[in-house]
Amino acid sequence: RRLSVFAGWSLEMAEQVCSDDDIPAGDILDLTGALVDKSLVVLEPEVLGQARYRLLDTIRDYAAARLAEAGESAEFELRLRDYTLATAEQSLAIGMARVEAPWSARVDVFRRYDVDAGNLWQVLDRCLAGSDAETGLRICAAVSPCWIVWGTFGEGGEWLRSFLALDMTEVPARVQGAATVVRGQLTLSSDPAAAWALGTEGLKLCREGDDGYWIAAGLNLLAEIALHTGRIDEAETSADEALATAQASGDGWNEGYALGTRAAIAGRRGKLREAEQLATASVTVLRQIDQQWGAARAMLGLGDLARFRSHPGEAHG
């Protein structure tokens, strides 16, 4: 009945969410195996080096009803919520190179999002139904790189719109700020004016919350919007501050991103040698933190510069 809180799970997830004094973590493996043997639990293909399991819908509904009868639904739903939040924020730290990890671990962040999306959606649904704005916004901010990389801007934007419409009285400014910046990032491709307003408001809240990572992210967002809308001086001011903020906190991702924007600004001004130097510095920083997606993005900029300078060999390389 405790497993009914999951849309799907791994052994490690069951050990963390379902164990207590009555069912120690060390017993979970044998209990799961017994349920598989009885065809009550379905064993699925391995993902990220771990076997995956699920309940058939009818069995899950029955088990969930038994969980409710036992008076345990709220407890284990909260356990799954806390596990999801902790995992999402750790994944953000890994994916955006806020902690040391190899590129393979950063790629696994996006794979994990895919396999656990069902759990994420039901946790967000419960947070929304329970007006738990802070947890919902923290989870949304943490998984936002996955929304951006996969291009699911509408899905992420709708979750954020719904949570930001709740009562924000008890939600810390840094949480509101990060979520508002993310909403701006997701809005950028469809409505730059709205993204600018969201980025400006989000940056203000991030400054109030003194969150260096999201301050730099907000500044990078504003710099990118200003660049794409022809406000080069504004773009340079925001990019310079983003760079300084990121460097001060050892934030390689936002440092590399700001260097890439500065390279684009220099290119717009016809300073192609300076642009090449800045883009090369961006690639170097992003490679140093083993964030190869960001490095590839910066190298595309270098390719464009080589093409503009009529160096097709360099552009192709």
Side-chain angles (χ1 to χ4, degrees):
R1 66 179 184 249
R2 294 180 184 187
L3 293 172
S4 68
V5 299
F6 295 113
W9 71 91
S10 66
L11 179 64
E12 177 261 343
M13 293 168 68
E15 288 174 342
Q16 293 206 33
V17 174
C18 297
S19 64
D20 59 10
D21 291 341
D22 293 330
I23 303 180
D27 291 349
I28 297 290
L29 175 59
D30 288 342
L31 289 168
T32 301
L35 291 169
V36 171
D37 290 342
K38 294 179 176 64
S39 299
L40 294 172
V41 165
V42 178
L43 176 62
E44 299 207 300
E46 185 177 288
V47 178
L48 300 178
Q50 295 182 317
R52 298 288 302 190
Y53 304 90
R54 67 180 175 87
L55 293 169
L56 296 175
D57 288 345
T58 52
I59 295 174
R60 187 183 182 199
D61 289 344
Y62 177 83
R66 302 290 80 75
L67 189 71
E69 286 178 6
E72 294 181 339
S73 295
E75 176 185 353
F76 288 95
E77 287 171 2
L78 285 174
R79 285 186 173 212
L80 179 58
R81 182 204 67 179
D82 293 345
Y83 173 86
T84 300
L85 174 60
T87 300
E89 291 189 332
Q90 177 64 10
S91 292
L92 175 69
I94 293 171
M96 308 316 293
R98 299 177 71 177
V99 297
E100 289 188 15
W103 175 237
S104 59
R106 306 201 197 289
V107 173
D108 284 349
V109 163
F110 298 91
R111 292 175 176 164
R112 180 162 194 158
Y113 171 83
D114 283 348
V115 73
D116 278 334
N119 290 317
L120 176 76
W121 293 334
Q122 66 181 19
V123 168
L124 289 177
D125 269 332
R126 288 168 185 157
C127 287
L128 195 57
S131 297
D132 185 359
E134 180 175 351
T135 302
L137 291 174
R138 286 173 63 184
I139 292 173
C140 286
V143 302
S144 63
C146 299
W147 290 333
I148 291 169
V149 168
W150 296 142
T152 52
F153 305 127
E155 173 190 316
E158 184 58 28
W159 281 118
L160 285 161
R161 184 198 65 76
S162 297
F163 279 112
L164 287 168
L166 297 176
D167 182 6
M168 293 288 114
T169 305
E170 301 298 323
V171 180
R174 61 180 179 77
V175 174
Q176 295 183 56
T180 306
V181 167
V182 167
R183 192 177 175 199
Q185 292 171 337
L186 296 172
T187 305
L188 175 58
S189 62
S190 61
D191 190 344
W196 178 267
L198 289 164
T200 301
E201 176 61 20
L203 177 59
K204 176 184 175 183
L205 290 163
C206 290
R207 291 191 195 279
E208 289 178 19
D210 195 25
D211 189 323
Y213 174 85
W214 286 106
I215 290 171
L219 288 163
N220 273 327
L221 171 62
L222 294 179
E224 188 170 3
I225 297 169
L227 176 64
H228 290 320
T229 53
R231 293 172 287 165
I232 306 301
D233 290 342
E234 289 182 53
E236 185 172 44
T237 298
S238 294
D240 285 348
E241 188 180 354
L243 180 61
T245 301
Q247 288 175 332
S249 60
D251 172 7
W253 168 257
N254 279 309
E255 178 184 357
Y257 203 103
L259 285 166
T261 302
R262 287 185 61 186
I265 292 167
R268 288 283 188 92
R269 288 177 168 159
K271 300 178 180 179
L272 299 187
R273 183 174 296 277
E274 180 184 346
E276 182 180 9
Q277 292 170 342
L278 288 165
T280 300
S282 176
V283 172
T284 299
V285 168
L286 291 163
R287 281 180 169 166
Q288 285 174 344
I289 62 173
D290 211 357
Q291 223 303 339
Q292 299 303 322
W293 182 84
R297 177 181 179 273
M299 290 180 71
L300 285 172
L302 275 172
D304 281 339
L305 284 168
R307 179 167 56 86
F308 291 147
R309 297 174 69 189
S310 299
H311 297 162
E314 291 180 21
H316 184 270

